[in-house]
Amino acid sequence: MAHDLNKLGLTTRSIHAGQHKDPATGAVAPPLYQTSTFAFDSCGQGAARFSGEEEGYIYTRMGNPTIARLEEAVSTLEGGAGGLATGSGMAALCTSVFALLEQGGHIVSSSSVYGPSRVVIERDFSRFGVTATFVDSSDTAAVAAAMRPETKLVFVETPANPTLTISDLRAIADIAHAHGALLMVDNTFASPILQRPIEHGADVVMHSMTKFLNGHTDVVAGMIIPASDALLKRIRASHYYFGAVMDPHQAWLVLRGLRTLSLRVKASQANAMRVAEWLEAHPKVEWVAYPGLASHPQRELAARQMDGPGALMSFEVKGGVKAGAAMLDHVELMTLAVSLGGIETLIQHPASMTHAAMPREARLAAGITDGLVRVSVGCEDVEDLLADFAQALEHA
Ligand code: LCS
């Protein structure tokens, strides 16, 4: 492509990034190279590829043309140095920590993160001598206070799953860098259409592409986007040994979904704004957390750091868990299911589902109340969603 994509809009970029006319056939859609290995012309060529003297594919765990297109596309959207595709969002997190931390290292993490992200840092990486402190990262001073000489990584989710709290990326990047640590941001909730953490000083961005980037609720996938060539090289060296890589067919499907990312995010965000306002005005609703509402404590920060408040919100029905469960049991159009960021609206109960593996005290300290309900608003006609909320809330 002759254009400099970085000068074009994000919708254009999401449609064209990583898109190259297939030199063999002219195919416009990306060819699917569903192969585990690539033939060498000679022994010498095989050796040259392994030594790095000659560019070219070797083995799909080390690289594949279909996966490379997706890595290029997502990195272009995030403004990174490159992408490293992984088999899931968890694989993106684990590969990054595996690559960046050493025994004795310390992580400062947001307390409200996807439940398993917290569990793997707290329980599994501690078995290898990597410790962690969890803080409310929307309180920048709390992040600063948790830093230690051995802190190597600050890990932030913003907006946070499932509390929708917002953390100040620029301020936290400055704190991390002043301590010689890196900032890694899980950008799953926002997607690069709404937030590009590298612009705010992040060193590594990760995604569960299972969510908005793929968007069609049919693939589990992840991506790591380092901000610099040095970090790309460092994480890449661990990426193919750790082995939590992507399959070409997975990459092909995510590329297909990515082309409508901007359209989907904008449509679901417009719906989410209406749903949030409607829920907040409903007599049976105790509170709503959505960064687009005037009642959100970090609304101004969200407006400064993001290009829109997104499609996720949480709320609590008056009467807590019992009333919330009664409502959840009666949704008809919406689907009672975990995951998020798809074209359809999904609703779930974090305390018993996505965040059930976290101890209750840790959940409550992170602001994940027993009655909190999380909604990922999809692209349906909003009046139909409001009608479904109205009838489901009658049962609460
Ligand atoms: N990061 C965030 C912010 C997530 O929400 C998830 C999954 C992951 C990482 C892990 O990605 P995965 O390995 O599943 O691709 N979040 C889920 C959720 O909230 N409901 O179901 C899965």
PDB file of all heavy atoms in Angstrom, residues 88-90 114 157 161 186 188 208 210-211 220-221 338-340 354 374, ligand 1:
ATOM      1  N   SER A  88      -4.278 -16.711  23.276  1.00  0.00           N
ATOM      2  CA  SER A  88      -5.369 -16.156  24.089  1.00  0.00           C
ATOM      3  C   SER A  88      -4.857 -14.879  24.739  1.00  0.00           C
ATOM      4  O   SER A  88      -3.650 -14.592  24.693  1.00  0.00           O
ATOM      5  CB  SER A  88      -5.779 -17.160  25.184  1.00  0.00           C
ATOM      6  OG  SER A  88      -4.731 -17.314  26.119  1.00  0.00           O
ATOM      7  N   GLY A  89      -5.763 -14.146  25.374  1.00  0.00           N
ATOM      8  CA  GLY A  89      -5.342 -12.974  26.141  1.00  0.00           C
ATOM      9  C   GLY A  89      -4.476 -13.379  27.325  1.00  0.00           C
ATOM     10  O   GLY A  89      -3.487 -12.718  27.644  1.00  0.00           O
ATOM     11  N   MET A  90      -4.832 -14.480  27.991  1.00  0.00           N
ATOM     12  CA  MET A  90      -4.023 -14.962  29.117  1.00  0.00           C
ATOM     13  C   MET A  90      -2.612 -15.299  28.645  1.00  0.00           C
ATOM     14  O   MET A  90      -1.640 -15.066  29.359  1.00  0.00           O
ATOM     15  CB  MET A  90      -4.682 -16.187  29.772  1.00  0.00           C
ATOM     16  CG  MET A  90      -5.930 -15.864  30.595  1.00  0.00           C
ATOM     17  SD  MET A  90      -5.703 -14.566  31.829  1.00  0.00           S
ATOM     18  CE  MET A  90      -4.508 -15.339  32.912  1.00  0.00           C
ATOM     19  N   TYR A 114      -9.054  -8.442  35.138  1.00  0.00           N
ATOM     20  CA  TYR A 114      -9.736  -9.703  34.845  1.00  0.00           C
ATOM     21  C   TYR A 114      -9.286 -10.739  35.893  1.00  0.00           C
ATOM     22  O   TYR A 114      -8.087 -10.882  36.148  1.00  0.00           O
ATOM     23  CB  TYR A 114      -9.380 -10.135  33.424  1.00  0.00           C
ATOM     24  CG  TYR A 114      -9.899 -11.493  33.032  1.00  0.00           C
ATOM     25  CD1 TYR A 114     -11.244 -11.810  33.180  1.00  0.00           C
ATOM     26  CD2 TYR A 114      -9.045 -12.458  32.521  1.00  0.00           C
ATOM     27  CE1 TYR A 114     -11.722 -13.058  32.818  1.00  0.00           C
ATOM     28  CE2 TYR A 114      -9.520 -13.702  32.147  1.00  0.00           C
ATOM     29  CZ  TYR A 114     -10.864 -14.002  32.310  1.00  0.00           C
ATOM     30  OH  TYR A 114     -11.319 -15.242  31.959  1.00  0.00           O
ATOM     31  N   GLU A 157      -4.982  -2.140  33.994  1.00  0.00           N
ATOM     32  CA  GLU A 157      -6.142  -2.308  33.122  1.00  0.00           C
ATOM     33  C   GLU A 157      -6.978  -1.045  33.242  1.00  0.00           C
ATOM     34  O   GLU A 157      -7.401  -0.692  34.345  1.00  0.00           O
ATOM     35  CB  GLU A 157      -7.005  -3.481  33.629  1.00  0.00           C
ATOM     36  CG  GLU A 157      -7.053  -4.672  32.717  1.00  0.00           C
ATOM     37  CD  GLU A 157      -8.059  -5.699  33.196  1.00  0.00           C
ATOM     38  OE1 GLU A 157      -9.191  -5.338  33.557  1.00  0.00           O
ATOM     39  OE2 GLU A 157      -7.693  -6.869  33.220  1.00  0.00           O
ATOM     40  N   ASN A 161     -11.675  -4.105  34.389  1.00  0.00           N
ATOM     41  CA  ASN A 161     -12.658  -5.191  34.367  1.00  0.00           C
ATOM     42  C   ASN A 161     -12.896  -5.645  35.800  1.00  0.00           C
ATOM     43  O   ASN A 161     -11.955  -6.123  36.424  1.00  0.00           O
ATOM     44  CB  ASN A 161     -12.084  -6.345  33.519  1.00  0.00           C
ATOM     45  CG  ASN A 161     -13.059  -7.483  33.307  1.00  0.00           C
ATOM     46  OD1 ASN A 161     -14.162  -7.496  33.830  1.00  0.00           O
ATOM     47  ND2 ASN A 161     -12.642  -8.490  32.543  1.00  0.00           N
ATOM     48  N   ASP A 186      -3.261  -3.466  29.727  1.00  0.00           N
ATOM     49  CA  ASP A 186      -4.241  -4.337  29.085  1.00  0.00           C
ATOM     50  C   ASP A 186      -5.306  -3.427  28.482  1.00  0.00           C
ATOM     51  O   ASP A 186      -6.089  -2.806  29.206  1.00  0.00           O
ATOM     52  CB  ASP A 186      -4.834  -5.295  30.123  1.00  0.00           C
ATOM     53  CG  ASP A 186      -5.785  -6.313  29.493  1.00  0.00           C
ATOM     54  OD1 ASP A 186      -6.380  -5.995  28.445  1.00  0.00           O
ATOM     55  OD2 ASP A 186      -5.950  -7.402  30.070  1.00  0.00           O
ATOM     56  N   THR A 188      -7.770  -4.213  26.451  1.00  0.00           N
ATOM     57  CA  THR A 188      -8.894  -5.006  25.936  1.00  0.00           C
ATOM     58  C   THR A 188     -10.219  -4.244  25.982  1.00  0.00           C
ATOM     59  O   THR A 188     -11.000  -4.280  25.025  1.00  0.00           O
ATOM     60  CB  THR A 188      -9.020  -6.306  26.761  1.00  0.00           C
ATOM     61  OG1 THR A 188      -7.808  -7.051  26.618  1.00  0.00           O
ATOM     62  CG2 THR A 188     -10.185  -7.152  26.314  1.00  0.00           C
ATOM     63  N   SER A 208      -6.750  -9.107  24.953  1.00  0.00           N
ATOM     64  CA  SER A 208      -7.498 -10.316  24.676  1.00  0.00           C
ATOM     65  C   SER A 208      -8.251  -9.979  23.385  1.00  0.00           C
ATOM     66  O   SER A 208      -9.235  -9.232  23.402  1.00  0.00           O
ATOM     67  CB  SER A 208      -8.480 -10.641  25.799  1.00  0.00           C
ATOM     68  OG  SER A 208      -9.390 -11.629  25.319  1.00  0.00           O
ATOM     69  N   THR A 210      -9.960 -11.934  21.833  1.00  0.00           N
ATOM     70  CA  THR A 210     -11.223 -12.658  21.941  1.00  0.00           C
ATOM     71  C   THR A 210     -12.386 -11.661  21.958  1.00  0.00           C
ATOM     72  O   THR A 210     -13.515 -12.018  21.611  1.00  0.00           O
ATOM     73  CB  THR A 210     -11.223 -13.438  23.283  1.00  0.00           C
ATOM     74  OG1 THR A 210      -9.964 -14.081  23.444  1.00  0.00           O
ATOM     75  CG2 THR A 210     -12.352 -14.432  23.362  1.00  0.00           C
ATOM     76  N   LYS A 211     -12.094 -10.418  22.347  1.00  0.00           N
ATOM     77  CA  LYS A 211     -13.118  -9.417  22.612  1.00  0.00           C
ATOM     78  C   LYS A 211     -13.314  -8.508  21.385  1.00  0.00           C
ATOM     79  O   LYS A 211     -13.604  -9.003  20.322  1.00  0.00           O
ATOM     80  CB  LYS A 211     -12.739  -8.648  23.886  1.00  0.00           C
ATOM     81  CG  LYS A 211     -12.270  -9.574  25.027  1.00  0.00           C
ATOM     82  CD  LYS A 211     -13.348 -10.482  25.534  1.00  0.00           C
ATOM     83  CE  LYS A 211     -12.903 -11.692  26.325  1.00  0.00           C
ATOM     84  NZ  LYS A 211     -11.734 -11.663  27.142  1.00  0.00           N
ATOM     85  N   VAL A 220     -10.816 -17.333  20.397  1.00  0.00           N
ATOM     86  CA  VAL A 220     -10.032 -16.942  21.568  1.00  0.00           C
ATOM     87  C   VAL A 220      -8.640 -16.588  21.044  1.00  0.00           C
ATOM     88  O   VAL A 220      -8.038 -17.380  20.304  1.00  0.00           O
ATOM     89  CB  VAL A 220      -9.957 -18.098  22.584  1.00  0.00           C
ATOM     90  CG1 VAL A 220      -8.963 -17.790  23.698  1.00  0.00           C
ATOM     91  CG2 VAL A 220     -11.342 -18.372  23.181  1.00  0.00           C
ATOM     92  N   ALA A 221      -8.134 -15.400  21.373  1.00  0.00           N
ATOM     93  CA  ALA A 221      -6.848 -14.970  20.821  1.00  0.00           C
ATOM     94  C   ALA A 221      -6.291 -13.800  21.618  1.00  0.00           C
ATOM     95  O   ALA A 221      -7.032 -13.099  22.315  1.00  0.00           O
ATOM     96  CB  ALA A 221      -7.024 -14.548  19.351  1.00  0.00           C
ATOM     97  N   VAL A 338     -20.280 -14.990  29.983  1.00  0.00           N
ATOM     98  CA  VAL A 338     -19.057 -14.203  30.156  1.00  0.00           C
ATOM     99  C   VAL A 338     -18.504 -13.871  28.770  1.00  0.00           C
ATOM    100  O   VAL A 338     -19.072 -14.273  27.756  1.00  0.00           O
ATOM    101  CB  VAL A 338     -18.021 -14.936  31.042  1.00  0.00           C
ATOM    102  CG1 VAL A 338     -18.568 -15.154  32.434  1.00  0.00           C
ATOM    103  CG2 VAL A 338     -17.590 -16.248  30.399  1.00  0.00           C
ATOM    104  N   SER A 339     -17.382 -13.159  28.769  1.00  0.00           N
ATOM    105  CA  SER A 339     -16.767 -12.566  27.588  1.00  0.00           C
ATOM    106  C   SER A 339     -17.450 -11.229  27.289  1.00  0.00           C
ATOM    107  O   SER A 339     -18.421 -10.846  27.968  1.00  0.00           O
ATOM    108  CB  SER A 339     -16.779 -13.462  26.358  1.00  0.00           C
ATOM    109  OG  SER A 339     -15.747 -13.011  25.468  1.00  0.00           O
ATOM    110  N   LEU A 340     -16.929 -10.530  26.300  1.00  0.00           N
ATOM    111  CA  LEU A 340     -17.361  -9.152  26.043  1.00  0.00           C
ATOM    112  C   LEU A 340     -16.832  -8.725  24.684  1.00  0.00           C
ATOM    113  O   LEU A 340     -16.037  -9.436  24.066  1.00  0.00           O
ATOM    114  CB  LEU A 340     -16.806  -8.231  27.154  1.00  0.00           C
ATOM    115  CG  LEU A 340     -15.275  -8.213  27.318  1.00  0.00           C
ATOM    116  CD1 LEU A 340     -14.649  -6.964  26.746  1.00  0.00           C
ATOM    117  CD2 LEU A 340     -14.880  -8.357  28.767  1.00  0.00           C
ATOM    118  N   THR A 354     -16.707 -14.404  36.244  1.00  0.00           N
ATOM    119  CA  THR A 354     -15.338 -14.053  35.804  1.00  0.00           C
ATOM    120  C   THR A 354     -14.358 -13.814  36.949  1.00  0.00           C
ATOM    121  O   THR A 354     -13.156 -13.997  36.776  1.00  0.00           O
ATOM    122  CB  THR A 354     -15.341 -12.760  34.951  1.00  0.00           C
ATOM    123  OG1 THR A 354     -16.147 -11.789  35.608  1.00  0.00           O
ATOM    124  CG2 THR A 354     -15.840 -13.032  33.554  1.00  0.00           C
ATOM    125  N   ARG A 374     -22.195  -6.971  35.198  1.00  0.00           N
ATOM    126  CA  ARG A 374     -21.442  -6.345  34.105  1.00  0.00           C
ATOM    127  C   ARG A 374     -22.151  -6.577  32.775  1.00  0.00           C
ATOM    128  O   ARG A 374     -22.621  -7.680  32.515  1.00  0.00           O
ATOM    129  CB  ARG A 374     -20.029  -6.935  34.038  1.00  0.00           C
ATOM    130  CG  ARG A 374     -19.104  -6.184  33.069  1.00  0.00           C
ATOM    131  CD  ARG A 374     -17.810  -6.922  32.817  1.00  0.00           C
ATOM    132  NE  ARG A 374     -18.002  -8.060  31.935  1.00  0.00           N
ATOM    133  CZ  ARG A 374     -17.069  -8.977  31.661  1.00  0.00           C
ATOM    134  NH1 ARG A 374     -15.889  -8.885  32.236  1.00  0.00           N
ATOM    135  NH2 ARG A 374     -17.320  -9.981  30.845  1.00  0.00           N
TER     136      ARG A 374
HETATM  137  N1  LCS B   1      -7.743  -9.239  29.809  1.00  0.00           N
HETATM  138  C1  LCS B   1      -9.005  -8.826  29.966  1.00  0.00           C
HETATM  139  C2  LCS B   1      -9.276  -7.400  30.277  1.00  0.00           C
HETATM  140  C3  LCS B   1     -10.054  -9.737  29.820  1.00  0.00           C
HETATM  141  O1  LCS B   1     -11.286  -9.285  29.971  1.00  0.00           O
HETATM  142  C4  LCS B   1      -9.768 -11.091  29.542  1.00  0.00           C
HETATM  143  C5  LCS B   1     -10.837 -12.106  29.398  1.00  0.00           C
HETATM  144  C6  LCS B   1      -8.428 -11.482  29.401  1.00  0.00           C
HETATM  145  C7  LCS B   1      -7.445 -10.524  29.541  1.00  0.00           C
HETATM  146  C8  LCS B   1      -8.049 -12.888  29.086  1.00  0.00           C
HETATM  147  O2  LCS B   1      -8.281 -13.126  27.745  1.00  0.00           O
HETATM  148  P1  LCS B   1      -8.605 -14.565  27.098  1.00  0.00           P
HETATM  149  O3  LCS B   1      -7.487 -15.464  27.510  1.00  0.00           O
HETATM  150  O4  LCS B   1      -9.902 -15.020  27.654  1.00  0.00           O
HETATM  151  O5  LCS B   1      -8.623 -14.276  25.651  1.00  0.00           O
HETATM  152  N2  LCS B   1     -12.053 -11.682  29.936  1.00  0.00           N
HETATM  153  C9  LCS B   1     -13.158 -12.367  30.052  1.00  0.00           C
HETATM  154  C10 LCS B   1     -14.294 -11.860  30.678  1.00  0.00           C
HETATM  155  O6  LCS B   1     -14.382 -10.789  31.238  1.00  0.00           O
HETATM  156  N3  LCS B   1     -15.256 -12.722  30.576  1.00  0.00           N
HETATM  157  O7  LCS B   1     -14.840 -13.893  29.991  1.00  0.00           O
HETATM  158  C11 LCS B   1     -13.460 -13.737  29.601  1.00  0.00           C
END
